PDB file of all heavy atoms in Angstrom:
ATOM      1  N   PRO A   1      -5.090   4.980   7.450  1.00  0.00           N
ATOM      2  CA  PRO A   1      -4.420   5.130   6.185  1.00  0.00           C
ATOM      3  C   PRO A   1      -4.505   3.835   5.287  1.00  0.00           C
ATOM      4  O   PRO A   1      -4.781   3.937   4.102  1.00  0.00           O
ATOM      5  CB  PRO A   1      -3.014   5.527   6.437  1.00  0.00           C
ATOM      6  CG  PRO A   1      -2.962   6.057   7.838  1.00  0.00           C
ATOM      7  CD  PRO A   1      -4.038   5.305   8.551  1.00  0.00           C
ATOM      8  N   VAL A   2      -4.238   2.645   5.988  1.00  0.00           N
ATOM      9  CA  VAL A   2      -4.398   1.423   5.188  1.00  0.00           C
ATOM     10  C   VAL A   2      -5.704   1.115   4.688  1.00  0.00           C
ATOM     11  O   VAL A   2      -5.974   0.743   3.514  1.00  0.00           O
ATOM     12  CB  VAL A   2      -3.819   0.228   6.017  1.00  0.00           C
ATOM     13  CG1 VAL A   2      -4.090  -1.089   5.320  1.00  0.00           C
ATOM     14  CG2 VAL A   2      -2.390   0.400   6.310  1.00  0.00           C
ATOM     15  N   GLY A   3      -6.752   1.376   5.562  1.00  0.00           N
ATOM     16  CA  GLY A   3      -8.077   1.211   5.160  1.00  0.00           C
ATOM     17  C   GLY A   3      -8.555   2.114   4.019  1.00  0.00           C
ATOM     18  O   GLY A   3      -9.181   1.725   3.082  1.00  0.00           O
ATOM     19  N   THR A   4      -8.088   3.370   4.057  1.00  0.00           N
ATOM     20  CA  THR A   4      -8.454   4.345   3.196  1.00  0.00           C
ATOM     21  C   THR A   4      -7.754   4.071   1.737  1.00  0.00           C
ATOM     22  O   THR A   4      -8.445   4.089   0.787  1.00  0.00           O
ATOM     23  CB  THR A   4      -7.843   5.751   3.595  1.00  0.00           C
ATOM     24  OG1 THR A   4      -8.578   6.113   4.762  1.00  0.00           O
ATOM     25  CG2 THR A   4      -8.197   6.815   2.457  1.00  0.00           C
ATOM     26  N   LEU A   5      -6.485   3.544   1.777  1.00  0.00           N
ATOM     27  CA  LEU A   5      -5.851   3.109   0.521  1.00  0.00           C
ATOM     28  C   LEU A   5      -6.637   1.948  -0.141  1.00  0.00           C
ATOM     29  O   LEU A   5      -6.412   1.685  -1.346  1.00  0.00           O
ATOM     30  CB  LEU A   5      -4.357   2.862   0.798  1.00  0.00           C
ATOM     31  CG  LEU A   5      -3.549   4.142   1.056  1.00  0.00           C
ATOM     32  CD1 LEU A   5      -2.094   3.736   1.528  1.00  0.00           C
ATOM     33  CD2 LEU A   5      -3.464   5.029  -0.211  1.00  0.00           C
ATOM     34  N   LEU A   6      -7.135   1.021   0.726  1.00  0.00           N
ATOM     35  CA  LEU A   6      -7.810  -0.042   0.184  1.00  0.00           C
ATOM     36  C   LEU A   6      -9.181   0.258  -0.307  1.00  0.00           C
ATOM     37  O   LEU A   6      -9.572  -0.161  -1.464  1.00  0.00           O
ATOM     38  CB  LEU A   6      -7.987  -1.082   1.309  1.00  0.00           C
ATOM     39  CG  LEU A   6      -8.717  -2.331   0.936  1.00  0.00           C
ATOM     40  CD1 LEU A   6      -8.127  -3.153  -0.106  1.00  0.00           C
ATOM     41  CD2 LEU A   6      -8.978  -3.245   2.145  1.00  0.00           C
ATOM     42  N   PHE A   7     -10.091   1.001   0.404  1.00  0.00           N
ATOM     43  CA  PHE A   7     -11.371   1.104   0.044  1.00  0.00           C
ATOM     44  C   PHE A   7     -11.614   2.204  -1.078  1.00  0.00           C
ATOM     45  O   PHE A   7     -12.436   2.047  -1.998  1.00  0.00           O
ATOM     46  CB  PHE A   7     -12.206   1.573   1.286  1.00  0.00           C
ATOM     47  CG  PHE A   7     -12.376   0.450   2.194  1.00  0.00           C
ATOM     48  CD1 PHE A   7     -11.936   0.378   3.508  1.00  0.00           C
ATOM     49  CD2 PHE A   7     -13.183  -0.638   1.916  1.00  0.00           C
ATOM     50  CE1 PHE A   7     -12.165  -0.623   4.375  1.00  0.00           C
ATOM     51  CE2 PHE A   7     -13.402  -1.795   2.627  1.00  0.00           C
ATOM     52  CZ  PHE A   7     -12.862  -1.728   3.961  1.00  0.00           C
ATOM     53  N   TYR A   8     -10.951   3.302  -1.055  1.00  0.00           N
ATOM     54  CA  TYR A   8     -11.310   4.453  -1.888  1.00  0.00           C
ATOM     55  C   TYR A   8     -10.908   4.273  -3.373  1.00  0.00           C
ATOM     56  O   TYR A   8     -11.657   4.761  -4.188  1.00  0.00           O
ATOM     57  CB  TYR A   8     -10.815   5.782  -1.353  1.00  0.00           C
ATOM     58  CG  TYR A   8     -11.652   6.295  -0.196  1.00  0.00           C
ATOM     59  CD1 TYR A   8     -11.283   6.150   1.115  1.00  0.00           C
ATOM     60  CD2 TYR A   8     -12.953   6.949  -0.391  1.00  0.00           C
ATOM     61  CE1 TYR A   8     -12.126   6.446   2.206  1.00  0.00           C
ATOM     62  CE2 TYR A   8     -13.658   7.287   0.641  1.00  0.00           C
ATOM     63  CZ  TYR A   8     -13.361   7.116   1.838  1.00  0.00           C
ATOM     64  OH  TYR A   8     -14.143   7.463   2.966  1.00  0.00           O
ATOM     65  N   PRO A   9      -9.927   3.584  -3.610  1.00  0.00           N
ATOM     66  CA  PRO A   9      -9.700   3.176  -5.108  1.00  0.00           C
ATOM     67  C   PRO A   9     -10.766   2.332  -5.542  1.00  0.00           C
ATOM     68  O   PRO A   9     -11.219   2.353  -6.734  1.00  0.00           O
ATOM     69  CB  PRO A   9      -8.364   2.384  -4.979  1.00  0.00           C
ATOM     70  CG  PRO A   9      -7.624   3.015  -3.883  1.00  0.00           C
ATOM     71  CD  PRO A   9      -8.684   3.256  -2.856  1.00  0.00           C
ATOM     72  N   MET A  10     -11.495   1.432  -4.734  1.00  0.00           N
ATOM     73  CA  MET A  10     -12.564   0.633  -5.107  1.00  0.00           C
ATOM     74  C   MET A  10     -13.755   1.577  -5.540  1.00  0.00           C
ATOM     75  O   MET A  10     -14.495   1.175  -6.476  1.00  0.00           O
ATOM     76  CB  MET A  10     -13.017  -0.285  -3.910  1.00  0.00           C
ATOM     77  CG  MET A  10     -12.030  -1.367  -3.506  1.00  0.00           C
ATOM     78  SD  MET A  10     -12.825  -2.442  -2.398  1.00  0.00           S
ATOM     79  CE  MET A  10     -11.439  -3.431  -1.840  1.00  0.00           C
ATOM     80  N   VAL A  11     -13.953   2.674  -4.935  1.00  0.00           N
ATOM     81  CA  VAL A  11     -15.005   3.517  -5.244  1.00  0.00           C
ATOM     82  C   VAL A  11     -14.859   4.148  -6.596  1.00  0.00           C
ATOM     83  O   VAL A  11     -15.885   4.225  -7.389  1.00  0.00           O
ATOM     84  CB  VAL A  11     -15.113   4.779  -4.101  1.00  0.00           C
ATOM     85  CG1 VAL A  11     -16.183   5.677  -4.525  1.00  0.00           C
ATOM     86  CG2 VAL A  11     -15.304   4.149  -2.828  1.00  0.00           C
ATOM     87  N   VAL A  12     -13.563   4.486  -7.021  1.00  0.00           N
ATOM     88  CA  VAL A  12     -13.459   5.045  -8.308  1.00  0.00           C
ATOM     89  C   VAL A  12     -13.762   4.073  -9.471  1.00  0.00           C
ATOM     90  O   VAL A  12     -14.323   4.430 -10.472  1.00  0.00           O
ATOM     91  CB  VAL A  12     -11.862   5.270  -8.368  1.00  0.00           C
ATOM     92  CG1 VAL A  12     -11.632   5.880  -9.864  1.00  0.00           C
ATOM     93  CG2 VAL A  12     -11.546   6.423  -7.371  1.00  0.00           C
ATOM     94  N   LEU A  13     -13.559   2.775  -9.137  1.00  0.00           N
ATOM     95  CA  LEU A  13     -13.869   1.760 -10.120  1.00  0.00           C
ATOM     96  C   LEU A  13     -15.276   1.092  -9.968  1.00  0.00           C
ATOM     97  O   LEU A  13     -15.658   0.139 -10.640  1.00  0.00           O
ATOM     98  CB  LEU A  13     -12.844   0.617 -10.100  1.00  0.00           C
ATOM     99  CG  LEU A  13     -11.429   1.098 -10.287  1.00  0.00           C
ATOM    100  CD1 LEU A  13     -10.465  -0.049 -10.261  1.00  0.00           C
ATOM    101  CD2 LEU A  13     -11.281   1.735 -11.785  1.00  0.00           C
ATOM    102  N   SER A  14     -16.107   1.578  -9.122  1.00  0.00           N
ATOM    103  CA  SER A  14     -17.332   0.931  -8.730  1.00  0.00           C
ATOM    104  C   SER A  14     -18.505   1.225  -9.671  1.00  0.00           C
ATOM    105  O   SER A  14     -19.517   0.553  -9.561  1.00  0.00           O
ATOM    106  CB  SER A  14     -17.709   1.341  -7.265  1.00  0.00           C
ATOM    107  OG  SER A  14     -18.051   2.740  -7.233  1.00  0.00           O
ATOM    108  N   GLY A  15     -18.313   2.186 -10.606  1.00  0.00           N
ATOM    109  CA  GLY A  15     -19.446   2.560 -11.373  1.00  0.00           C
ATOM    110  C   GLY A  15     -20.367   3.664 -10.771  1.00  0.00           C
ATOM    111  O   GLY A  15     -21.389   4.048 -11.368  1.00  0.00           O
ATOM    112  N   LEU A  16     -19.847   4.167  -9.635  1.00  0.00           N
ATOM    113  CA  LEU A  16     -20.626   5.281  -9.105  1.00  0.00           C
ATOM    114  C   LEU A  16     -20.476   6.565  -9.819  1.00  0.00           C
ATOM    115  O   LEU A  16     -21.577   7.250  -9.941  1.00  0.00           O
ATOM    116  CB  LEU A  16     -20.059   5.465  -7.555  1.00  0.00           C
ATOM    117  CG  LEU A  16     -20.872   6.548  -6.803  1.00  0.00           C
ATOM    118  CD1 LEU A  16     -22.191   6.239  -6.526  1.00  0.00           C
ATOM    119  CD2 LEU A  16     -20.067   6.794  -5.492  1.00  0.00           C
ATOM    120  N   PHE A  17     -19.423   6.924 -10.395  1.00  0.00           N
ATOM    121  CA  PHE A  17     -19.124   8.100 -10.964  1.00  0.00           C
ATOM    122  C   PHE A  17     -19.298   8.060 -12.462  1.00  0.00           C
ATOM    123  O   PHE A  17     -19.605   9.047 -13.217  1.00  0.00           O
ATOM    124  CB  PHE A  17     -17.821   8.748 -10.603  1.00  0.00           C
ATOM    125  CG  PHE A  17     -17.719   9.055  -9.122  1.00  0.00           C
ATOM    126  CD1 PHE A  17     -16.862   8.176  -8.340  1.00  0.00           C
ATOM    127  CD2 PHE A  17     -18.418   9.987  -8.430  1.00  0.00           C
ATOM    128  CE1 PHE A  17     -16.790   8.400  -6.996  1.00  0.00           C
ATOM    129  CE2 PHE A  17     -18.277  10.204  -7.168  1.00  0.00           C
ATOM    130  CZ  PHE A  17     -17.477   9.366  -6.479  1.00  0.00           C
ATOM    131  N   PHE A  18     -18.942   6.952 -13.090  1.00  0.00           N
ATOM    132  CA  PHE A  18     -19.102   6.678 -14.470  1.00  0.00           C
ATOM    133  C   PHE A  18     -19.227   5.163 -14.747  1.00  0.00           C
ATOM    134  O   PHE A  18     -18.860   4.310 -13.845  1.00  0.00           O
ATOM    135  CB  PHE A  18     -17.830   7.142 -15.241  1.00  0.00           C
ATOM    136  CG  PHE A  18     -16.530   6.785 -14.460  1.00  0.00           C
ATOM    137  CD1 PHE A  18     -15.959   5.466 -14.712  1.00  0.00           C
ATOM    138  CD2 PHE A  18     -15.779   7.620 -13.690  1.00  0.00           C
ATOM    139  CE1 PHE A  18     -14.895   5.050 -14.152  1.00  0.00           C
ATOM    140  CE2 PHE A  18     -14.671   7.260 -13.186  1.00  0.00           C
ATOM    141  CZ  PHE A  18     -14.092   5.916 -13.375  1.00  0.00           C
ATOM    142  N   PRO A  19     -19.850   4.879 -15.794  1.00  0.00           N
ATOM    143  CA  PRO A  19     -20.151   3.451 -16.118  1.00  0.00           C
ATOM    144  C   PRO A  19     -18.939   2.619 -16.214  1.00  0.00           C
ATOM    145  O   PRO A  19     -17.962   2.998 -16.708  1.00  0.00           O
ATOM    146  CB  PRO A  19     -20.919   3.400 -17.432  1.00  0.00           C
ATOM    147  CG  PRO A  19     -21.493   4.814 -17.550  1.00  0.00           C
ATOM    148  CD  PRO A  19     -20.356   5.727 -16.902  1.00  0.00           C
ATOM    149  N   ILE A  20     -19.034   1.373 -15.563  1.00  0.00           N
ATOM    150  CA  ILE A  20     -17.877   0.444 -15.662  1.00  0.00           C
ATOM    151  C   ILE A  20     -17.525   0.135 -17.187  1.00  0.00           C
ATOM    152  O   ILE A  20     -16.363  -0.183 -17.531  1.00  0.00           O
ATOM    153  CB  ILE A  20     -18.146  -0.825 -14.957  1.00  0.00           C
ATOM    154  CG1 ILE A  20     -18.224  -0.468 -13.428  1.00  0.00           C
ATOM    155  CG2 ILE A  20     -17.037  -1.871 -15.175  1.00  0.00           C
ATOM    156  CD1 ILE A  20     -18.528  -1.722 -12.574  1.00  0.00           C
ATOM    157  N   ALA A  21     -18.557   0.157 -18.026  1.00  0.00           N
ATOM    158  CA  ALA A  21     -18.403  -0.264 -19.401  1.00  0.00           C
ATOM    159  C   ALA A  21     -17.447   0.644 -20.218  1.00  0.00           C
ATOM    160  O   ALA A  21     -16.934   0.229 -21.308  1.00  0.00           O
ATOM    161  CB  ALA A  21     -19.785  -0.246 -20.095  1.00  0.00           C
ATOM    162  N   VAL A  22     -17.230   1.856 -19.811  1.00  0.00           N
ATOM    163  CA  VAL A  22     -16.328   2.841 -20.465  1.00  0.00           C
ATOM    164  C   VAL A  22     -14.906   2.575 -20.131  1.00  0.00           C
ATOM    165  O   VAL A  22     -13.966   3.155 -20.754  1.00  0.00           O
ATOM    166  CB  VAL A  22     -16.756   4.333 -20.140  1.00  0.00           C
ATOM    167  CG1 VAL A  22     -18.189   4.567 -20.468  1.00  0.00           C
ATOM    168  CG2 VAL A  22     -16.389   4.647 -18.671  1.00  0.00           C
ATOM    169  N   LEU A  23     -14.616   1.746 -19.161  1.00  0.00           N
ATOM    170  CA  LEU A  23     -13.247   1.456 -18.796  1.00  0.00           C
ATOM    171  C   LEU A  23     -12.580   0.478 -19.771  1.00  0.00           C
ATOM    172  O   LEU A  23     -13.282  -0.301 -20.374  1.00  0.00           O
ATOM    173  CB  LEU A  23     -13.147   0.925 -17.335  1.00  0.00           C
ATOM    174  CG  LEU A  23     -13.713   1.811 -16.234  1.00  0.00           C
ATOM    175  CD1 LEU A  23     -13.829   1.041 -14.871  1.00  0.00           C
ATOM    176  CD2 LEU A  23     -12.822   3.029 -15.963  1.00  0.00           C
ATOM    177  N   PRO A  24     -11.195   0.425 -19.862  1.00  0.00           N
ATOM    178  CA  PRO A  24     -10.553  -0.566 -20.609  1.00  0.00           C
ATOM    179  C   PRO A  24     -10.949  -1.914 -20.119  1.00  0.00           C
ATOM    180  O   PRO A  24     -11.303  -2.199 -18.910  1.00  0.00           O
ATOM    181  CB  PRO A  24      -9.043  -0.217 -20.327  1.00  0.00           C
ATOM    182  CG  PRO A  24      -9.069   1.187 -19.932  1.00  0.00           C
ATOM    183  CD  PRO A  24     -10.353   1.531 -19.153  1.00  0.00           C
ATOM    184  N   SER A  25     -10.875  -2.957 -20.977  1.00  0.00           N
ATOM    185  CA  SER A  25     -11.375  -4.367 -20.646  1.00  0.00           C
ATOM    186  C   SER A  25     -10.673  -4.800 -19.463  1.00  0.00           C
ATOM    187  O   SER A  25     -11.222  -5.384 -18.588  1.00  0.00           O
ATOM    188  CB  SER A  25     -11.059  -5.197 -21.820  1.00  0.00           C
ATOM    189  OG  SER A  25      -9.708  -5.192 -22.221  1.00  0.00           O
ATOM    190  N   TYR A  26      -9.327  -4.632 -19.211  1.00  0.00           N
ATOM    191  CA  TYR A  26      -8.713  -5.192 -18.082  1.00  0.00           C
ATOM    192  C   TYR A  26      -9.077  -4.511 -16.816  1.00  0.00           C
ATOM    193  O   TYR A  26      -9.032  -5.143 -15.811  1.00  0.00           O
ATOM    194  CB  TYR A  26      -7.251  -5.137 -18.291  1.00  0.00           C
ATOM    195  CG  TYR A  26      -6.557  -3.765 -18.412  1.00  0.00           C
ATOM    196  CD1 TYR A  26      -6.109  -3.001 -17.262  1.00  0.00           C
ATOM    197  CD2 TYR A  26      -6.497  -3.151 -19.689  1.00  0.00           C
ATOM    198  CE1 TYR A  26      -5.650  -1.804 -17.317  1.00  0.00           C
ATOM    199  CE2 TYR A  26      -5.933  -1.817 -19.756  1.00  0.00           C
ATOM    200  CZ  TYR A  26      -5.488  -1.058 -18.596  1.00  0.00           C
ATOM    201  OH  TYR A  26      -5.003   0.087 -18.667  1.00  0.00           O
ATOM    202  N   VAL A  27      -9.420  -3.246 -16.910  1.00  0.00           N
ATOM    203  CA  VAL A  27      -9.891  -2.579 -15.737  1.00  0.00           C
ATOM    204  C   VAL A  27     -11.251  -2.921 -15.486  1.00  0.00           C
ATOM    205  O   VAL A  27     -11.585  -3.082 -14.260  1.00  0.00           O
ATOM    206  CB  VAL A  27      -9.854  -1.002 -15.998  1.00  0.00           C
ATOM    207  CG1 VAL A  27     -10.245  -0.215 -14.764  1.00  0.00           C
ATOM    208  CG2 VAL A  27      -8.359  -0.572 -16.250  1.00  0.00           C
ATOM    209  N   GLN A  28     -12.073  -3.193 -16.387  1.00  0.00           N
ATOM    210  CA  GLN A  28     -13.436  -3.707 -16.151  1.00  0.00           C
ATOM    211  C   GLN A  28     -13.364  -5.071 -15.418  1.00  0.00           C
ATOM    212  O   GLN A  28     -14.224  -5.305 -14.582  1.00  0.00           O
ATOM    213  CB  GLN A  28     -14.187  -3.939 -17.565  1.00  0.00           C
ATOM    214  CG  GLN A  28     -14.491  -2.667 -18.307  1.00  0.00           C
ATOM    215  CD  GLN A  28     -15.404  -2.900 -19.431  1.00  0.00           C
ATOM    216  OE1 GLN A  28     -16.242  -3.749 -19.566  1.00  0.00           O
ATOM    217  NE2 GLN A  28     -15.136  -2.191 -20.518  1.00  0.00           N
ATOM    218  N   ALA A  29     -12.529  -5.906 -15.909  1.00  0.00           N
ATOM    219  CA  ALA A  29     -12.272  -7.194 -15.205  1.00  0.00           C
ATOM    220  C   ALA A  29     -11.996  -7.026 -13.661  1.00  0.00           C
ATOM    221  O   ALA A  29     -12.468  -7.803 -12.829  1.00  0.00           O
ATOM    222  CB  ALA A  29     -11.182  -8.057 -15.961  1.00  0.00           C
ATOM    223  N   LEU A  30     -11.090  -6.123 -13.395  1.00  0.00           N
ATOM    224  CA  LEU A  30     -10.783  -5.703 -11.994  1.00  0.00           C
ATOM    225  C   LEU A  30     -12.006  -5.116 -11.190  1.00  0.00           C
ATOM    226  O   LEU A  30     -12.307  -5.664 -10.147  1.00  0.00           O
ATOM    227  CB  LEU A  30      -9.677  -4.733 -11.921  1.00  0.00           C
ATOM    228  CG  LEU A  30      -9.344  -4.243 -10.600  1.00  0.00           C
ATOM    229  CD1 LEU A  30      -8.845  -5.244  -9.648  1.00  0.00           C
ATOM    230  CD2 LEU A  30      -8.200  -3.101 -10.661  1.00  0.00           C
ATOM    231  N   ALA A  31     -12.718  -4.290 -11.921  1.00  0.00           N
ATOM    232  CA  ALA A  31     -13.959  -3.681 -11.330  1.00  0.00           C
ATOM    233  C   ALA A  31     -14.980  -4.759 -10.954  1.00  0.00           C
ATOM    234  O   ALA A  31     -15.695  -4.708  -9.931  1.00  0.00           O
ATOM    235  CB  ALA A  31     -14.537  -2.568 -12.197  1.00  0.00           C
ATOM    236  N   ARG A  32     -15.126  -5.809 -11.816  1.00  0.00           N
ATOM    237  CA  ARG A  32     -16.077  -6.841 -11.594  1.00  0.00           C
ATOM    238  C   ARG A  32     -15.820  -7.725 -10.420  1.00  0.00           C
ATOM    239  O   ARG A  32     -16.765  -8.388  -9.976  1.00  0.00           O
ATOM    240  CB  ARG A  32     -16.175  -7.735 -12.906  1.00  0.00           C
ATOM    241  CG  ARG A  32     -16.551  -7.030 -14.183  1.00  0.00           C
ATOM    242  CD  ARG A  32     -18.055  -6.348 -13.991  1.00  0.00           C
ATOM    243  NE  ARG A  32     -18.333  -5.764 -15.270  1.00  0.00           N
ATOM    244  CZ  ARG A  32     -19.461  -5.003 -15.434  1.00  0.00           C
ATOM    245  NH1 ARG A  32     -20.227  -4.792 -14.367  1.00  0.00           N
ATOM    246  NH2 ARG A  32     -19.719  -4.473 -16.556  1.00  0.00           N
ATOM    247  N   VAL A  33     -14.570  -7.741  -9.912  1.00  0.00           N
ATOM    248  CA  VAL A  33     -14.266  -8.507  -8.659  1.00  0.00           C
ATOM    249  C   VAL A  33     -14.220  -7.743  -7.453  1.00  0.00           C
ATOM    250  O   VAL A  33     -14.010  -8.286  -6.330  1.00  0.00           O
ATOM    251  CB  VAL A  33     -12.940  -9.268  -8.891  1.00  0.00           C
ATOM    252  CG1 VAL A  33     -13.020 -10.149 -10.123  1.00  0.00           C
ATOM    253  CG2 VAL A  33     -11.835  -8.322  -9.023  1.00  0.00           C
ATOM    254  N   LEU A  34     -14.460  -6.362  -7.550  1.00  0.00           N
ATOM    255  CA  LEU A  34     -14.395  -5.491  -6.381  1.00  0.00           C
ATOM    256  C   LEU A  34     -15.808  -5.487  -5.779  1.00  0.00           C
ATOM    257  O   LEU A  34     -16.844  -5.271  -6.360  1.00  0.00           O
ATOM    258  CB  LEU A  34     -14.021  -4.175  -6.732  1.00  0.00           C
ATOM    259  CG  LEU A  34     -12.476  -3.970  -7.259  1.00  0.00           C
ATOM    260  CD1 LEU A  34     -12.299  -2.541  -7.653  1.00  0.00           C
ATOM    261  CD2 LEU A  34     -11.513  -4.512  -6.295  1.00  0.00           C
ATOM    262  N   PRO A  35     -15.947  -5.824  -4.437  1.00  0.00           N
ATOM    263  CA  PRO A  35     -17.242  -5.820  -3.815  1.00  0.00           C
ATOM    264  C   PRO A  35     -18.106  -4.485  -3.879  1.00  0.00           C
ATOM    265  O   PRO A  35     -19.203  -4.515  -3.850  1.00  0.00           O
ATOM    266  CB  PRO A  35     -17.013  -6.333  -2.312  1.00  0.00           C
ATOM    267  CG  PRO A  35     -15.433  -5.914  -2.212  1.00  0.00           C
ATOM    268  CD  PRO A  35     -14.839  -6.062  -3.471  1.00  0.00           C
ATOM    269  N   VAL A  36     -17.304  -3.356  -3.827  1.00  0.00           N
ATOM    270  CA  VAL A  36     -17.964  -2.140  -3.808  1.00  0.00           C
ATOM    271  C   VAL A  36     -18.790  -1.913  -5.039  1.00  0.00           C
ATOM    272  O   VAL A  36     -19.892  -1.319  -5.018  1.00  0.00           O
ATOM    273  CB  VAL A  36     -16.897  -1.034  -3.613  1.00  0.00           C
ATOM    274  CG1 VAL A  36     -17.638   0.375  -3.706  1.00  0.00           C
ATOM    275  CG2 VAL A  36     -16.294  -1.127  -2.236  1.00  0.00           C
ATOM    276  N   SER A  37     -18.351  -2.494  -6.152  1.00  0.00           N
ATOM    277  CA  SER A  37     -19.069  -2.430  -7.485  1.00  0.00           C
ATOM    278  C   SER A  37     -20.448  -3.010  -7.314  1.00  0.00           C
ATOM    279  O   SER A  37     -21.472  -2.475  -7.682  1.00  0.00           O
ATOM    280  CB  SER A  37     -18.321  -3.048  -8.594  1.00  0.00           C
ATOM    281  OG  SER A  37     -17.147  -2.530  -8.772  1.00  0.00           O
ATOM    282  N   TYR A  38     -20.607  -4.110  -6.585  1.00  0.00           N
ATOM    283  CA  TYR A  38     -21.841  -4.787  -6.411  1.00  0.00           C
ATOM    284  C   TYR A  38     -22.644  -4.061  -5.375  1.00  0.00           C
ATOM    285  O   TYR A  38     -23.919  -4.111  -5.529  1.00  0.00           O
ATOM    286  CB  TYR A  38     -21.663  -6.286  -5.928  1.00  0.00           C
ATOM    287  CG  TYR A  38     -20.900  -7.101  -6.964  1.00  0.00           C
ATOM    288  CD1 TYR A  38     -19.471  -7.240  -6.922  1.00  0.00           C
ATOM    289  CD2 TYR A  38     -21.659  -7.603  -8.048  1.00  0.00           C
ATOM    290  CE1 TYR A  38     -18.766  -7.967  -7.903  1.00  0.00           C
ATOM    291  CE2 TYR A  38     -20.881  -8.368  -9.090  1.00  0.00           C
ATOM    292  CZ  TYR A  38     -19.597  -8.555  -8.932  1.00  0.00           C
ATOM    293  OH  TYR A  38     -18.831  -9.246  -9.926  1.00  0.00           O
ATOM    294  N   ALA A  39     -22.117  -3.511  -4.421  1.00  0.00           N
ATOM    295  CA  ALA A  39     -22.824  -2.672  -3.419  1.00  0.00           C
ATOM    296  C   ALA A  39     -23.438  -1.465  -4.158  1.00  0.00           C
ATOM    297  O   ALA A  39     -24.639  -1.143  -3.879  1.00  0.00           O
ATOM    298  CB  ALA A  39     -21.845  -2.141  -2.349  1.00  0.00           C
ATOM    299  N   VAL A  40     -22.722  -0.869  -5.012  1.00  0.00           N
ATOM    300  CA  VAL A  40     -23.304   0.367  -5.738  1.00  0.00           C
ATOM    301  C   VAL A  40     -24.431  -0.127  -6.584  1.00  0.00           C
ATOM    302  O   VAL A  40     -25.417   0.529  -6.694  1.00  0.00           O
ATOM    303  CB  VAL A  40     -22.127   1.022  -6.595  1.00  0.00           C
ATOM    304  CG1 VAL A  40     -22.760   2.113  -7.611  1.00  0.00           C
ATOM    305  CG2 VAL A  40     -21.196   1.773  -5.690  1.00  0.00           C
ATOM    306  N   SER A  41     -24.272  -1.236  -7.284  1.00  0.00           N
ATOM    307  CA  SER A  41     -25.325  -1.730  -8.229  1.00  0.00           C
ATOM    308  C   SER A  41     -26.608  -2.059  -7.391  1.00  0.00           C
ATOM    309  O   SER A  41     -27.683  -1.763  -7.852  1.00  0.00           O
ATOM    310  CB  SER A  41     -24.746  -2.954  -8.945  1.00  0.00           C
ATOM    311  OG  SER A  41     -25.795  -3.589  -9.788  1.00  0.00           O
ATOM    312  N   LEU A  42     -26.424  -2.725  -6.304  1.00  0.00           N
ATOM    313  CA  LEU A  42     -27.555  -3.084  -5.510  1.00  0.00           C
ATOM    314  C   LEU A  42     -28.287  -1.803  -4.931  1.00  0.00           C
ATOM    315  O   LEU A  42     -29.486  -1.793  -5.077  1.00  0.00           O
ATOM    316  CB  LEU A  42     -27.062  -3.940  -4.271  1.00  0.00           C
ATOM    317  CG  LEU A  42     -28.134  -4.364  -3.277  1.00  0.00           C
ATOM    318  CD1 LEU A  42     -29.183  -5.197  -3.960  1.00  0.00           C
ATOM    319  CD2 LEU A  42     -27.560  -5.077  -2.092  1.00  0.00           C
ATOM    320  N   MET A  43     -27.619  -0.951  -4.315  1.00  0.00           N
ATOM    321  CA  MET A  43     -28.230   0.186  -3.668  1.00  0.00           C
ATOM    322  C   MET A  43     -28.790   1.170  -4.786  1.00  0.00           C
ATOM    323  O   MET A  43     -29.984   1.626  -4.612  1.00  0.00           O
ATOM    324  CB  MET A  43     -27.236   1.028  -2.866  1.00  0.00           C
ATOM    325  CG  MET A  43     -26.749   0.311  -1.595  1.00  0.00           C
ATOM    326  SD  MET A  43     -25.702   1.218  -0.485  1.00  0.00           S
ATOM    327  CE  MET A  43     -24.179   1.410  -1.398  1.00  0.00           C
ATOM    328  N   ARG A  44     -28.189   1.347  -5.845  1.00  0.00           N
ATOM    329  CA  ARG A  44     -28.718   2.121  -6.947  1.00  0.00           C
ATOM    330  C   ARG A  44     -29.976   1.519  -7.498  1.00  0.00           C
ATOM    331  O   ARG A  44     -31.001   2.178  -7.727  1.00  0.00           O
ATOM    332  CB  ARG A  44     -27.596   2.353  -8.002  1.00  0.00           C
ATOM    333  CG  ARG A  44     -28.128   3.106  -9.258  1.00  0.00           C
ATOM    334  CD  ARG A  44     -27.071   3.127 -10.294  1.00  0.00           C
ATOM    335  NE  ARG A  44     -26.032   4.065  -9.919  1.00  0.00           N
ATOM    336  CZ  ARG A  44     -24.726   4.150 -10.387  1.00  0.00           C
ATOM    337  NH1 ARG A  44     -24.440   3.228 -11.314  1.00  0.00           N
ATOM    338  NH2 ARG A  44     -23.906   4.945  -9.956  1.00  0.00           N
ATOM    339  N   GLY A  45     -29.976   0.174  -7.797  1.00  0.00           N
ATOM    340  CA  GLY A  45     -31.107  -0.450  -8.309  1.00  0.00           C
ATOM    341  C   GLY A  45     -32.371  -0.487  -7.352  1.00  0.00           C
ATOM    342  O   GLY A  45     -33.535  -0.162  -7.817  1.00  0.00           O
ATOM    343  N   ILE A  46     -32.077  -0.729  -6.126  1.00  0.00           N
ATOM    344  CA  ILE A  46     -33.109  -0.768  -5.076  1.00  0.00           C
ATOM    345  C   ILE A  46     -33.842   0.721  -5.028  1.00  0.00           C
ATOM    346  O   ILE A  46     -35.028   0.836  -4.932  1.00  0.00           O
ATOM    347  CB  ILE A  46     -32.708  -1.248  -3.713  1.00  0.00           C
ATOM    348  CG1 ILE A  46     -32.226  -2.652  -3.825  1.00  0.00           C
ATOM    349  CG2 ILE A  46     -33.861  -1.055  -2.671  1.00  0.00           C
ATOM    350  CD1 ILE A  46     -33.341  -3.616  -4.267  1.00  0.00           C
TER     351      ILE A  46
END
């Protein structure tokens, strides 16, 4: 449960389902520090 509560909110803000740019500025700032966002960007780009 602790792992799930930590990881899956990151997925929502990772840019996987919608662009990070459409989020409010403060949420964008949070998304930019989450590692899952960079994982999505890397895998999608490759």
